[in-house]
Amino acid sequence: GESVGLHLPTLSVQEGDNSIINCAYSNSASDYFIWYKQESGKGPQFIIDIRSNMDKRQGQRVTVLLNKTVKHLSLQIAATQPGDSAVYFCAENIGEAAGNKLTFGGGTRVLVKP
Amino acid sequence: DVKVTQSSRYLVKRTGEKVFLECVQDMDHENMFWYRQDPGLGLRLIYFSYDVKMKEKGDIPEGYSVSREKKERFSLILESASTNQTSMYLCASSQIRGGNSPLHFGNGTRLTVT
């Protein structure tokens, strides 16, 4: 398959365990955050988003946590499955002053061991 | 489901050729974007458009131009391809102007310039 990053940090997790993927964002004025999943040979796929007026948001098997004090975002995947193997990106909207565009992190590769 | 379709999965072009990358979305989204994705550099914004016949430069517009003649179609043009434009190109669309809505991506076009 195609590689989206040759030197990405990698998280190896046993099937059935919970995964936690971390992201440090850059701008305290950022007000909107998104997590994406990118499988080999595909484009990034939206997983979940969160606005800065929230600390936590849950989806199906995923939870996003936002800590604005330390500018940290995390994605928790419950009961990780082989299909969760992918590269995960966070993205932040760095605000109106910067044109309200999304800026993407470098990504973390998740490998699920059977 | 939003569908963003990029016309080619793989392209091989020679240095100096004019290259067109085509993207179509089927959800009547106002906003469309072109990114390139390179190992170690993540996703970088080339150009975007908030309306028909409208375009704005992203972070790395040099060597590229775009065309948005119809709402559903956003084309990326390499006027004279160079080897440093070998990359994965990702098209995206979003519903809400500005950064506070998720981008929906196509599956990418991997361009090789020889």
Side-chain angles (χ1 to χ4, degrees), chain B residues 3-108:
Chain B
K3 190 145 188 195
V4 179
T5 303
Q6 295 182 232
S7 55
S8 303
R9 289 300 305 274
Y10 299 93
L11 277 178
V12 180
K13 296 292 181 180
R14 293 192 181 277
T15 300
E17 279 193 80
K18 189 169 185 176
V19 182
F20 293 86
L21 302 184
E22 305 289 348
C23 175
V24 177
Q25 50 93 5
D26 66 358
M27 284 301 292
D28 202 35
H29 282 176
E30 299 287 337
N31 316 308
M32 296 188 75
F33 305 81
W34 275 105
Y35 288 84
R36 62 178 284 176
Q37 184 176 38
D38 300 287
L41 296 176
L43 279 81
R44 293 180 291 166
L45 181 63
I46 305 171
Y47 266 97
F48 61 102
S49 170
Y50 286 147
D51 202 352
V52 175
K53 296 192 186 294
M54 176 271 178
K55 61 184 178 184
E56 287 199 33
K57 293 179 180 179
D59 299 320
I60 51 162
E62 296 78 19
Y64 303 94
S65 62
V66 290
S67 173
R68 184 118 183 251
E69 295 295 319
K70 294 185 178 180
K71 189 175 185 180
E72 67 270 20
R73 186 179 296 270
F74 193 35
S75 303
L76 180 69
I77 303 154
L78 287 65
E79 294 290 340
S80 177
S82 63
T83 55
N84 63 12
Q85 291 178 310
T86 291
S87 187
M88 169 70 85
Y89 289 88
L90 290 163
C91 176
S93 72
S94 71
Q95 188 173 24
I96 301 171
R97 182 168 180 160
N100 285 346
S101 67
L103 301 183
H104 300 272
F105 286 90
N107 278 330

Side-chain angles (χ1 to χ4, degrees), chain A:
Chain A
E2 295 169 355
S3 170
V4 300
L6 296 178
H7 303 292
L8 292 175
T10 299
L11 173 69
S12 291
V13 61
Q14 200 69 38
E15 182 179 355
D17 287 352
N18 297 335
S19 304
I20 300 176
I21 306 161
N22 296 304
C23 182
Y25 62 92
S26 58
N27 194 314
S28 56
S30 294
D31 57 4
Y32 176 67
F33 305 87
I34 308 176
W35 279 101
Y36 284 94
K37 171 187 180 183
Q38 187 171 21
E39 297 174 272
S40 182
K42 296 185 178 180
Q45 177 187 2
F46 170 79
I47 303 174
I48 192 167
D49 57 3
I50 188 168
R51 301 192 187 280
S52 59
N53 60 354
M54 301 173 70
D55 298 323
K56 179 180 178 178
R57 190 161 187 232
Q58 288 185 288
Q60 188 175 13
R61 271 201 316 120
V62 295
T63 301
V64 55
L65 299 177
L66 175 62
N67 185 331
K68 294 181 285 293
T69 304
V70 294
K71 292 187 286 186
H72 184 266
L73 190 70
S74 68
L75 178 71
Q76 300 177 1
I77 306 173
T80 312
Q81 301 170 0
D84 295 326
S85 291
V87 175
Y88 291 80
F89 299 92
C90 64
E92 62 180 302
N93 174 18
I94 57 176
E96 191 170 347
N100 269 326
K101 297 191 295 290
L102 288 174
T103 299
F104 289 83
T108 297
R109 187 183 307 280
V110 171
L111 295 175
V112 181
K113 297 178 288 186

